[in-house]
Amino acid sequence: MSGLRVVPAFRHGRERLYVCREDGSNIAWYDRETGRVNLLGEDSRDDVLHALKPFLTGPVTVGPPPVPTPAELARLTLHPDDDLAPNRPGEALLVALDRDPGPAHRLRPDPRRRALTAEQTVGEALDGLEGAGWHTLHSLPLPGGDRIHHLAIGPGGLYAVHALYARKSRVLVADPMVTLGRREAEPLLRRLRADADRASYALTAEVRPLLALVGPSEVTVTARPRGLRIMTDTELAGLARLGGVLKPADVEALHGMARDRRTWGRL
């Protein structure tokens, strides 16, 4: 077989090298991250490896593409408009600020930008758990205009995470009230529990609320809140040590369900 071309491409954050015929049809691809050459036909094996030879790094495995799991098949059939996985941390705030940036000069900082900083900081910390078997979805819309800032799914269970900007502020938690600096206390924990309950109903699995405080100078908790975790953004990496709640297959299945916008529209 002659005239094969190697074309690089990125899919889902991974680099792939596709081997194409002269007519543009693919006959194989090389996934650098997994070190695997996936063949669509065994008869082209030698020609494919010859074409890829300059690009191969280290040992590789060669064979047909792996059979997709039910969760992978669900993702493949999910319409892009219904897939929430591409949402960035603070997606809803980014869209709102793009549509209405607000006045160029104002006496006080736009609270939306502080909230965005909090969601981006927490989102980055949660995304760092991926290597430990966790998936995180961001800015999940709920009916009525509410949303869950982050949904973390991993071996340690499911967490509806609310990011709160508390830079250099003292935080007092007296369930269900949260006081930030000199501001008036608000029943934030009540809202977090309600959001987690809605997520539990949508996913038919227990979802626990988690309050993530970004940059507080001091945190005082008068009594341990019932069924709710409170962590700073620098402590979120500790979730990687939790386990024994969900198996990898359960994590994948719940992630596939949670990323579907239609799951949340049924609430």
Side-chain angles (χ1 to χ4, degrees):
M1 188 181 299
S2 60
L4 295 181
R5 296 184 298 116
V6 177
V7 180
F10 286 87
R11 290 178 63 85
H12 309 300
R14 291 184 176 182
E15 183 182 11
R16 285 183 175 180
L17 296 175
Y18 285 87
V19 181
C20 309
R21 297 189 180 95
E22 290 182 333
D23 62 2
S25 59
N26 298 324
I27 61 173
W29 70 86
Y30 169 45
D31 190 324
R32 288 184 182 274
E33 184 171 325
T34 61
R36 180 179 177 85
V37 177
N38 298 279
L39 297 172
L40 298 182
E42 186 64 29
D43 57 341
S44 61
R45 179 187 183 104
D46 292 340
D47 294 306
V48 166
L49 292 178
H50 179 74
L52 285 172
K53 186 176 180 180
F55 307 96
L56 299 179
T57 55
V60 297
T61 56
V62 183
V67 177
T69 65
E72 289 170 334
L73 285 174
R75 287 198 294 270
L76 291 172
T77 58
L78 188 60
H79 191 280
D81 290 343
D82 292 325
D83 190 358
L84 298 173
N87 279 9
R88 300 160 293 178
E91 182 75 31
L93 289 170
L94 287 165
V95 172
L97 286 167
D98 183 60
R99 292 175 177 171
D100 178 20
H105 302 286
R106 52 190 303 164
L107 296 177
R108 297 182 179 179
D110 190 332
R112 295 178 300 172
R113 297 196 179 277
R114 290 187 172 184
L116 176 60
T117 297
E119 291 190 43
Q120 290 176 330
T121 301
V122 170
E124 182 179 356
L126 293 173
D127 285 340
L129 299 173
E130 186 174 353
W134 290 74
H135 293 298
T136 303
L137 296 167
H138 308 288
S139 204
L140 300 178
L142 300 176
D146 294 332
R147 62 189 177 90
I148 294 175
H149 291 180
H150 315 277
L151 181 69
I153 309 169
L158 296 94
Y159 289 92
V161 182
H162 184 93
L164 181 63
Y165 186 91
R167 187 75 65 192
K168 297 181 180 180
S169 297
R170 294 181 178 181
V171 180
L172 172 63
V173 180
D175 194 3
M177 310 302 288
V178 176
T179 306
L180 186 63
R182 297 181 179 179
R183 299 181 191 175
E184 186 176 347
E186 60 174 316
L188 182 58
L189 302 191
R190 190 175 298 155
R191 172 187 166 189
L192 269 62
R193 290 190 177 102
D195 288 346
D197 287 344
R198 296 177 75 181
S200 297
Y201 179 82
L203 299 173
T204 62
E206 183 184 12
V207 179
R208 287 172 281 186
L210 190 157
L211 175 61
L213 303 169
V214 176
S217 62
E218 181 181 329
V219 180
T220 302
V221 181
T222 58
R224 185 175 179 179
R226 172 184 52 83
L228 186 146
R229 282 181 176 267
I230 298 175
M231 307 176 77
T232 66
D233 58 292
T234 58
E235 295 171 338
L236 290 171
L239 292 176
R241 296 191 293 270
L242 301 180
V245 177
L246 295 176
K247 297 177 181 179
D250 297 328
V251 172
E252 293 299 324
L254 286 165
H255 178 243
M257 184 186 303
R259 68 188 293 175
D260 189 341
R261 185 184 300 274
R262 295 167 296 181
T263 297
W264 307 100
R266 293 193 292 265
L267 290 173

